[in-house]
Amino acid sequence: MSEPPLTYLDHAASAPVRPEVLEAVAPFAQDVFGHPSGSHRQGRAARRALEEAREQVAALMGARPAEVVFTAGGTEADNLAVFGVLGAAARRRPGGPTVVLSSSVEHAAVRDSCAAAAVRLTGVEHRTVGVDAHGVLDLGHLAELLDGAPGPDVALVSVMLANNEVGTVQPLAEVVALTRRLAPGAVVHTDAVQAAPWLDMREAAAGADLVAISAHKLGGPKGAGALVVREGTELDALIVGGGQEHERRGGTHNVAGAVGLATALAASAARREDEALRVGGLRDRLADGILDAVPSVTEAADRKAVLPGHCHLCFDGVDREELIVLLDAAGVCVSAGSACASGALEPSPVLSAMGVPASVARGAIRFSLGHTSTADDVERALAVVGEAVARLRA
Ligand code: PLP
């Protein structure tokens, strides 16, 4: 039997590498191999490429080149933000209370960093800010927590720009304004890993002190990312040794990764508006097509507040893992939207925070579209989803 054609609807997990990225990184796999700290021509060539990538990323993020710290992806950028700020704060006030506030729908890269910081660093406390039924941050609750933990004690506020599972975009400008008013000493971090392919970072993340991005969500290579660290933000390094990145991230640079990140960010920025319209239209056709054809399906979040590529649906009476396997057999790649390390069907913390009952969350599937998605992908998915769900329910 021949393989069904590939219908890739898991861009939010990892987007296909863009052709221009492949072309841009190729020289660094072969011809330009020098250490970027080297003083000879090979070193200089690597250094030049690295610094050009930094300038490009900075311009697209609305930052200065010196504010860009290259990392090995989004998880490291988030860890650097959380441990970097809390470590510096704990060092300044040893043993004194230091609070980190994060939204209750953060990716594990932030959620687990905050929890681990509370265990590892003396005096650090982690509190979470609730969300509404659509996953939008409860600003009243944030204000209460900023007020309740006396202002100066809040060291860090971490609120993602857009959620990885349901795609909800957060009111970051309001988060920044509230934090500046109620806890002027606190640093604001935003995980913009999912938002970066769709929103103009120069505006959407403008107020945050720390902004994390990841190349592979943009059509770049895996294992490359960056943290924008605005001037004046106190941050301890997570990885030391070598003094790279102005002592903020030690280790020999991943030159190809930095070039790949810059190229992917530039390519997605250049087509952002057209792609958002085109992909948003495809997403609507997919979501409406499923909602019309398949009974007992709920859409987790308000589509008006969701990124254009995200379509998150809960299929009643269906086990999400079984549905993923059936769809994969039909060539359709989707995911549940959150990794489940235990293998057990635990409801995702994001859906729990949104108040989605465990019985509904059991059937949660994330279809995510992106730069390679086509109308044919949508039609092929529509042709198989209804039947797969009916089979599982029978
Ligand atoms: N933050 C968010 C919102 C994500 O969606 C992801 C990846 O899924 C990450 C962080 C981690 O990024 P990386 O895969 O580059 O480590």
Side-chain angles (χ1 to χ4, degrees):
M1 225 172 66
S2 65
E3 282 261 304
L6 176 70
T7 303
Y8 188 75
L9 298 175
D10 204 13
H11 283 248
S14 207
V17 175
R18 294 173 185 270
E20 54 270 63
V21 169
L22 271 183
E23 200 181 312
V25 304
F28 303 95
Q30 204 163 18
D31 302 333
V32 188
F33 50 79
H35 194 297
S37 308
S39 311
H40 42 68
R41 69 195 60 212
Q42 261 294 336
R44 283 198 304 275
R47 184 92 208 156
R48 199 175 318 116
L50 182 70
E51 294 315 321
E52 278 171 14
R54 190 188 306 284
E55 280 166 24
Q56 206 171 4
V57 170
L60 293 162
M61 296 296 290
R64 292 185 304 108
E67 294 175 324
V68 174
V69 177
F70 287 120
T71 65
T75 301
E76 189 194 314
D78 284 334
N79 271 260
L80 175 58
V82 171
F83 283 101
V85 168
L86 295 175
R91 196 164 39 74
R92 268 199 319 273
R93 293 190 291 146
T98 297
V99 175
V100 50
L101 303 180
S102 73
S103 87
S104 54
V105 292
E106 292 300 311
H107 184 274
V110 170
R111 188 175 66 237
D112 293 355
S113 293
C114 293
V119 173
R120 293 182 199 169
L121 301 171
T122 312
V124 169
E125 270 179 56
H126 177 211
R127 296 184 197 158
T128 53
V129 187
V131 295
D132 70 10
H134 297 286
V136 179
L137 194 83
D138 179 345
L139 289 167
H141 191 207
L142 173 64
E144 224 174 88
L145 289 174
L146 284 169
D147 244 357
D153 291 339
V154 177
L156 179 66
V157 175
S158 182
V159 175
M160 67 202 324
L161 195 46
N163 182 260
N164 45 300
E165 286 181 46
V166 296
T168 303
V169 178
Q170 298 296 350
L172 186 68
E174 283 89 338
V175 169
V176 172
L178 264 181
T179 306
R180 300 291 183 242
R181 183 155 62 80
L182 298 172
V187 170
V188 178
H189 163 241
T190 193
D191 174 340
V193 167
Q194 289 290 334
W198 303 109
L199 306 181
D200 186 340
M201 290 293 105
R202 294 168 302 183
E203 291 162 16
D209 303 300
L210 300 169
V211 187
I213 56 167
S214 172
H216 74 111
K217 312 289 184 180
L218 292 150
K222 289 171 186 60
L227 182 69
V228 169
V229 182
R230 305 251 188 244
E231 195 183 348
T233 309
E234 266 199 72
L235 184 95
D236 281 359
L238 194 62
I239 299 174
V240 294
Q244 285 89 348
E245 299 298 85
H246 296 287
E247 308 277 347
R248 293 168 300 189
R249 203 278 187 184
T252 303
H253 289 99
N254 175 1
V255 181
V259 171
L261 169 66
T263 311
L265 188 60
S268 63
R271 292 170 212 136
R272 186 184 301 114
E273 280 170 26
D274 292 348
E275 280 293 83
L277 270 179
R278 185 185 76 81
V279 174
L282 293 176
R283 186 273 315 274
D284 288 346
R285 162 86 187 119
L286 177 69
D288 293 336
I290 293 174
L291 289 165
D292 284 349
V294 187
S296 305
V297 181
T298 43
E299 202 167 0
D302 178 2
R303 221 183 292 168
K304 288 192 292 298
V306 162
L307 294 173
H310 271 67
C311 168
H312 186 284
L313 301 172
C314 295
F315 296 86
D316 249 20
V318 166
D319 172 323
R320 63 189 182 219
E321 294 302 328
E322 287 178 9
L323 183 53
I324 290 168
V325 171
L326 266 192
L327 292 178
D328 182 42
V332 180
C333 302
V334 298
S335 70
S338 68
C340 189
S342 66
L345 270 185
E346 301 278 328
S348 92
V350 171
L351 297 180
S352 298
M354 290 164 61
V356 176
S359 58
V360 175
R362 206 177 141 254
I365 295 287
R366 178 186 68 186
F367 302 82
S368 57
L369 293 76
H371 72 100
T372 60
S373 298
T374 62
D376 283 350
D377 289 334
V378 171
E379 296 314 317
R380 278 199 300 272
L382 287 175
V384 299
V385 170
E387 200 188 304
V389 171
R391 240 177 92 181
L392 292 173
R393 282 178 179 164

